[in-house]
Amino acid sequence: MTLGKDWAIAWIEGCVKTVSEHREELIELDRAIGDGDHGENLDRGFTAVKSKLSSADVSNSGDVLKLVATTLMSTVGGASGPLLGTAFLRAAKEVTAENLGPRDLVAMLEAGLAGIQARGKADEGEKTMVDAWAPAVRAAEKAAKDGLAPEAVLRAAADAAQAGAVATGPLKATKGRASYLGERSIGHRDPGATSSAYLLEEAAKAAEK
Ligand SMILES: [Mg+2]
């Protein structure tokens, strides 16, 4: 698939579906080390995105991502709404071509991560969504440098995000609500890293169609 507006819409429709499918899992993960609302919050947010997207007049992928950003910011409670909203907004600003290439995708992912870190002040290894995004950015950068196709850049990012989310299990949380648990946060995967990996997986899947 050419990576333009149709890809962005397919990506976001995939996000709506995956968040709904993993709602209970995300609730359970957040119940273990947070306040248990992550699955419900995200599902509410992406349900609102779906309804807005169906009636909105979007002319390019940047418009799609901007709509996602503003909707998540206004409908998702807790920390994840502003964090993901900022990520999508910053990524949207990097959309300068209608047909996105490897470099554009890397720039979007880098901007998304920078937005999350500007808002959340978390570094890698603190058991947050940064632990999915940071390896995703590195993998995308490498794939683009190696001359891979856009869909392969997104695949590399998605796989690295998933590995990063899994790797949050043994970490001790030092940022966010889970940090109050200290050692007791060890052994549970971070819900934010997990959901971010699901969202990035959908970006790759939409491109592979
Ligand atoms: Mg929560």
Side-chain angles (χ1 to χ4, degrees):
M1 181 186 264
T2 307
L3 302 194
K5 184 177 91 167
D6 291 345
W7 163 73
I9 290 174
W11 172 20
I12 300 312
E13 285 174 349
C15 290
V16 173
K17 196 162 169 275
T18 197
V19 164
S20 160
E21 282 169 2
H22 292 100
R23 185 177 189 274
E24 295 308 316
E25 182 202 359
L26 295 171
I27 287 173
E28 285 307 316
L29 288 175
D30 196 29
R31 198 169 276 155
I33 63 167
D35 54 2
D37 62 354
H38 189 57
E40 211 176 310
N41 278 341
L42 263 197
D43 194 28
R44 184 190 317 115
F46 276 98
T47 301
V49 166
K50 184 184 178 183
S51 123
K52 283 199 185 174
L53 200 54
S54 67
S55 59
D57 187 18
V58 287
S59 55
N60 58 52
S61 43
D63 285 352
V64 175
L65 301 186
K66 245 177 256 165
L67 180 147
V68 174
T70 54
T71 308
L72 292 184
M73 281 181 190
S74 62
T75 57
V76 180
S80 53
L83 290 170
L84 286 174
T86 304
F88 276 100
L89 193 62
R90 297 272 188 106
K93 286 183 183 160
E94 297 299 321
V95 176
T96 51
E98 188 36 40
N99 188 358
L100 300 166
R103 295 278 156 206
D104 302 300
L105 297 169
V106 168
M108 288 163 69
L109 289 165
E110 283 173 344
L113 171 62
I116 290 166
Q117 292 195 289
R119 273 256 173 191
K121 313 279 180 224
D123 288 318
E124 211 174 342
E126 295 188 297
K127 204 177 179 101
T128 72
M129 62 171 74
V130 170
D131 293 324
W133 282 82
V137 167
R138 279 196 298 274
E141 283 168 345
K142 183 180 184 302
K145 212 173 144 204
D146 291 345
L148 299 191
E151 64 271 22
V153 170
L154 289 174
R155 172 47 56 203
D159 289 350
Q162 171 63 17
V166 170
T168 61
L171 294 178
K172 183 172 112 179
T174 53
K175 267 277 165 11
R177 188 181 284 265
S179 65
Y180 306 150
L181 293 175
E183 301 283 337
R184 279 186 293 139
S185 67
I186 295 172
H188 302 281
R189 230 185 257 189
D190 180 64
T194 304
S195 58
S196 283
Y198 289 145
L199 302 181
L200 293 173
E201 171 65 25
E202 293 307 315
K205 268 196 198 159
E208 287 160 354
K209 273 180 190 168

